[in-house]
Amino acid sequence: MLDSTLLDFVMEEHKKNAPGRELSFVVGGEVSIRQDPWWWLVVAVAAIIVLLVMLLPVPFREIVLFARDGILVTMVVTVASYFLILIVGLLGGLGRISKNKLIFGLASLYVEVVRGIPLLVQLIGWYFASPVIIQKLGLWLNLQALIEYRPNPIITAIMAITVCYGAYMSEIVRSGIQSVPKGQMEAARSLGMSHFQAMRHVVLPQAFRVILPPMGNEFIALLKDSSLVSVVAVADLTRRGREFMSAHFNPIETWFMVALLYLIMTIVAARVVSYIEKRSKYERY
Amino acid sequence: MPEPIVQIKDVKKRFGRVEALRGVSLDVNEGEVVVIVGPSGSGKSTLLRCINRLEEYEEGTIIVDGMTLDNTSNINAIRREVGIVFQSFNLFAHLTALQNLMLAQRIVRKRSREEAEKIAQALLAKVGIPEKAKAHPAQLSGGQQQRVAIARALAMNPKIMLFDEPTSALDPEMIKEVLDVMTSLAKEGMTMLVVSHEMGFARAAAQRVIFMDEGLIIEQATPHDFFENPKEERTRLFLSKILHL
C-alpha cells in the first residue's frame, strides 16, 4: 500500500514532465536482489516473522492477530500525513524563496517555530488544547456545532504530524529549488514562460530529483515517529502492542514482535525509496 | 525608412553603487546584425539583458517592435518576440533536446504536440544535429548544447535574437560549429545583437560593431572601419589587447 502510493506519485511526476518517455534511463534501475543486496535483509526479517508465527503461535501469532488493525492504523496515519506533508512542504518551500516579504516572513516563522518544538509536545498539545480552543470559540460565536466538537484522535494526530513534518519538508523543498541553477529560470522566462510556468515545468521537476533521497528519509522517519500517536489515544501498532502486553504480561515477546513489524515496514520502504532514486537519476551538468 | 525594431534611449542601470549603464542609446534596424565588444564589466551583457528585461533599468526607454519595456505588464509578450542565447547554454537539464525545443512552444505559443514536434525536428536539422533529438543535455558536447539552445530560441519565431557571449564557454574546436549557425541565421535576415569577441564572425556577418566601456558606447562603425582604423584611443587599446598585437 505505501509502496504503490510513493511509486504512483513518482510515475505521475514523470508522466507530466516527460510524456512518452520510459521511467528508466539508467542501467541498474531494475529491482532485483542481485542489484540491491539489501533485499536479503527484507527476506530475512520476513522469514523470522513467519517462522515465529508458525513455530510459536503462542504468543507470536496472537500478537500479530491482535495488532494487525494497529499496523493498518500506522500505515494510514503515515501515508495520509505524508501526502499532506508533501503539499505543505511545497507551499512552505515556495514561501521560503518568495520575494514577497510577507509570504517569506510567514513561511520562515512557521518553519523556525515548529522545528523548535518536539513532535510529542505538538501532538499532545493539539490533542488536548485544540478541542478546548474550538469549544471556547463555539461559545463565543454561539455555534452549537463547535461547542459539541469532539476530537477525532486519528485526524488530530494526522494534522499535528503534518504541521510538524511540513516544516522540515518545506526546508527540503527550498534547498531543492535553490539547487537548480539560476540560469534555468532565466532561460524559461526568456522564452516567454510566466514565473509559475517556469517553476512548474522547469525548476520543480529538477528540484524533485535532487530532493528524492531526503524525501525518502522523511517518509521512513515519519513511519517510525508515527508510534508517538499512541499517546493520544490512536490505536496504532505501538498502542496495540502495549495493550497486548498489559493483558498477557509478556513484554519480551510483545516488543520483539512489534519491533520486527516496524522493521519490516521501514526496510521495505527504504528499498522502495532506493529503487525510485535509481530509476529517476539522470546525468546532470 | 521604417522605424528601428530596437530603440534604446539613454538607458541607465546600476547594481548597488556600481553604474553598469551610464546612459546608452542605440537603434537597431530590422535585419541588422550588431556585434558588441568591450572589456568585462563594460555593461555589454547588461545592455543585452535589458532588451528582454532579464535586468530592469532605472532610467531611459527601450522600445522593442513598437512595445515599450518601461513597465513590466507586457513582459511576456516582448519575450516571445526576443530570443536569447546564453554563455552557459542553460538547456533544461531534465528534458531531451527535442523536449527542450517543444516546451515553450506548447505552453507559451500553445501549439499542438504534432506541430511543436515538427518545428523542433526541423530546427534541430537546421542546426545540424537532427540525430540528437532524444539526447539529454549532459550527453551533448558544449557546441551541440549551444546549437540546441539557439534552436530552442528560434522555435518561438522571435523577431530579434540576442547572443550573450555564445562561444565563450566552448572548447576552441567547437566554436566554429556555433558561429556557422549564427552566420547562416544572419544571412537569412534575422535581427541580431551579439556580445562576442569573435572578430571573424563580426567581419563576416555584422553590419555594425559597437565598442562599450564603463557603461557607455564609445565608438561604433562598420566592421572594416572598426578593426582597420578605430578612431578612439580606448578602442585602439582594447583591440590591441584582444588581437594580441
Side-chain angles (χ1 to χ4, degrees):
Chain A
M1 177 179 165
L2 68 223
D3 311 4
S4 67
T5 312
L6 251 180
L7 207 61
D8 282 350
F9 175 69
V10 174
M11 296 285 269
E12 267 311 304
E13 269 304 309
H14 273 272
K15 243 184 260 163
K16 277 184 270 167
N17 304 330
R21 193 179 69 210
E22 290 293 314
L23 189 57
S24 167
F25 354 97
V26 162
V27 189
E30 307 82 15
V31 197
S32 87
I33 285 184
R34 216 178 305 158
Q35 300 281 352
D36 184 355
W38 283 105
W39 278 105
W40 283 115
L41 182 64
V42 176
V43 172
V45 174
I48 293 171
I49 294 173
V50 170
L51 281 175
L52 284 174
V53 166
M54 282 169 56
L55 299 178
L56 296 168
V58 180
F60 289 113
R61 186 161 178 276
E62 285 175 4
I63 298 171
V64 172
L65 286 179
F66 185 84
R68 65 185 166 184
D69 51 350
I71 297 173
L72 190 67
V73 168
T74 292
M75 284 180 171
V76 166
V77 167
T78 305
V79 172
S81 307
Y82 194 71
F83 179 73
L84 295 173
I85 288 162
L86 291 178
I87 296 170
V88 173
L90 182 61
L91 295 177
L94 289 171
R96 290 275 286 142
I97 55 160
S98 174
K99 287 203 181 91
N100 182 318
K101 284 206 173 85
L102 181 69
I103 296 174
F104 171 80
L106 286 175
S108 304
L109 187 68
Y110 161 61
V111 168
E112 293 300 332
V113 168
V114 166
R115 282 198 307 182
I117 302 169
L119 174 55
L120 187 55
V121 171
Q122 292 188 42
L123 267 170
I124 297 172
W126 273 79
Y127 182 68
F128 290 104
S130 68
V132 179
I133 294 170
I134 290 170
Q135 285 157 9
K136 287 246 163 78
L137 202 67
L139 283 173
W140 186 55
L141 295 170
N142 209 8
L143 277 174
Q144 202 59 29
L146 292 184
I147 296 170
E148 286 168 9
Y149 173 80
R150 292 288 172 276
N152 174 326
I154 292 190
I155 290 176
T156 310
I158 289 173
M159 281 172 63
I161 291 175
T162 300
V163 169
C164 180
Y165 266 73
Y168 294 100
M169 193 60 87
S170 297
E171 283 300 273
I172 292 174
V173 171
R174 176 192 60 76
S175 71
I177 292 172
Q178 287 178 338
S179 78
V180 177
K182 241 180 90 190
Q184 296 283 312
M185 174 60 90
E186 272 190 357
R189 296 303 305 274
S190 75
L191 290 166
M193 286 184 220
S194 68
H195 183 86
F196 177 80
Q197 289 171 327
M199 259 301 165
R200 159 85 182 72
H201 294 280
V202 175
V203 177
L204 285 179
Q206 294 184 56
F208 177 70
R209 285 166 170 82
V210 174
I211 65 177
L212 255 175
M215 275 173 66
N217 287 342
E218 286 296 288
F219 182 81
I220 292 162
L222 172 64
L223 184 57
K224 291 181 289 178
D225 278 353
S226 75
S227 63
L228 292 171
V229 304
S230 62
V231 302
V232 291
V234 177
D236 75 325
L237 176 54
T238 303
R239 192 177 179 93
R240 294 296 276 164
R242 214 159 57 192
E243 287 166 8
F244 189 89
M245 179 185 68
S246 314
H248 298 81
F249 205 69
N250 47 3
I252 296 175
E253 293 86 346
T254 305
W255 295 112
F256 186 56
M257 183 48 82
V258 168
L260 282 176
L261 290 171
Y262 272 112
L263 186 60
I264 190 81
M265 287 194 279
T266 53
I267 57 182
V268 166
R271 284 353 311 140
V272 171
V273 168
S274 128
Y275 167 74
I276 295 170
E277 269 170 42
K278 273 187 197 158
R279 282 227 148 184
S280 63
K281 255 186 207 140
Y282 64 101
E283 290 176 68
R284 291 171 61 80
Y285 284 109
Chain B
M1 186 79 185
E3 213 170 52
I5 193 160
V6 179
Q7 301 172 53
I8 302 170
K9 284 179 201 131
D10 202 28
V11 163
K12 291 178 184 166
K13 158 83 187 168
R14 52 171 74 233
F15 293 104
R17 294 170 72 183
V18 181
E19 284 182 289
L21 298 175
R22 298 191 296 156
V24 173
S25 298
L26 175 67
D27 285 350
V28 180
N29 293 314
E30 196 155 1
E32 197 179 7
V33 177
V34 177
V35 168
I36 306 170
V37 301
S40 76
S42 59
K44 53 197 194 305
S45 286
T46 306
L47 178 65
L48 211 60
R49 291 163 60 87
C50 281
I51 296 173
N52 71 348
R53 222 184 159 94
L54 285 177
E55 303 287 355
E56 292 176 12
Y57 47 89
E58 281 94 35
E59 281 176 57
T61 304
I62 298 180
I63 300 170
V64 175
D65 195 26
M67 294 179 282
T68 306
L69 263 73
D70 301 348
N71 58 31
T72 45
S73 59
N74 55 354
I75 189 67
N76 289 337
I78 287 165
R79 283 178 179 155
R80 280 197 284 271
E81 309 302 328
V82 183
I84 185 164
V85 173
F86 301 93
Q87 181 177 353
S88 51
F89 328 136
N90 294 348
L91 289 181
F92 304 139
H94 62 305
L95 300 178
T96 63
L98 192 71
Q99 290 165 339
N100 261 279
L101 268 64
M102 286 171 64
L103 182 63
Q105 289 193 66
R106 299 262 291 137
I107 63 181
V108 177
R109 287 281 187 211
K110 309 279 185 216
R111 288 176 186 151
S112 71
R113 177 178 302 281
E114 294 72 30
E115 192 190 3
E117 184 163 349
K118 220 175 98 189
I119 293 169
Q121 291 282 13
L123 282 168
L124 284 178
K126 181 176 166 160
V127 299
I129 39 175
E131 75 283 3
K132 296 293 184 187
K134 291 246 151 55
H136 279 80
Q139 296 164 314
L140 301 173
S141 72
Q144 290 169 336
Q145 288 190 50
Q146 194 59 298
R147 285 189 280 164
V148 173
I150 294 171
R152 178 177 67 177
L154 291 175
M156 302 301 287
N157 303 105
K159 293 187 177 152
I160 303 153
M161 283 284 283
L162 311 174
F163 294 82
D164 190 3
E165 307 205 28
T167 57
S168 301
L170 294 177
D171 290 333
E173 76 270 21
M174 292 169 185
I175 290 175
K176 187 175 178 300
E177 64 190 50
V178 171
L179 291 180
D180 285 349
V181 169
M182 290 168 60
T183 307
S184 72
L185 201 57
K187 292 217 170 90
E188 287 168 25
M190 175 65 78
T191 309
M192 293 164 64
L193 275 89
V194 184
V195 170
S196 174
H197 293 156
E198 297 296 340
M199 297 307 148
F201 173 78
R203 284 176 200 268
Q207 278 92 55
R208 197 157 30 131
V209 179
I210 289 173
F211 174 65
M212 283 185 71
D213 195 11
E214 293 178 347
L216 290 170
I217 291 178
I218 305 296
E219 179 166 0
Q220 43 183 318
T222 63
H224 179 269
D225 289 347
F226 184 85
F227 292 115
E228 300 310 323
N229 45 48
K231 294 188 179 63
E232 300 288 330
E233 181 56 36
R234 268 198 275 183
T235 314
R236 270 195 289 271
L237 192 67
F238 175 73
L239 284 175
S240 76
K241 280 179 189 156
I242 63 164
L243 298 174
H244 314 293
L245 293 175

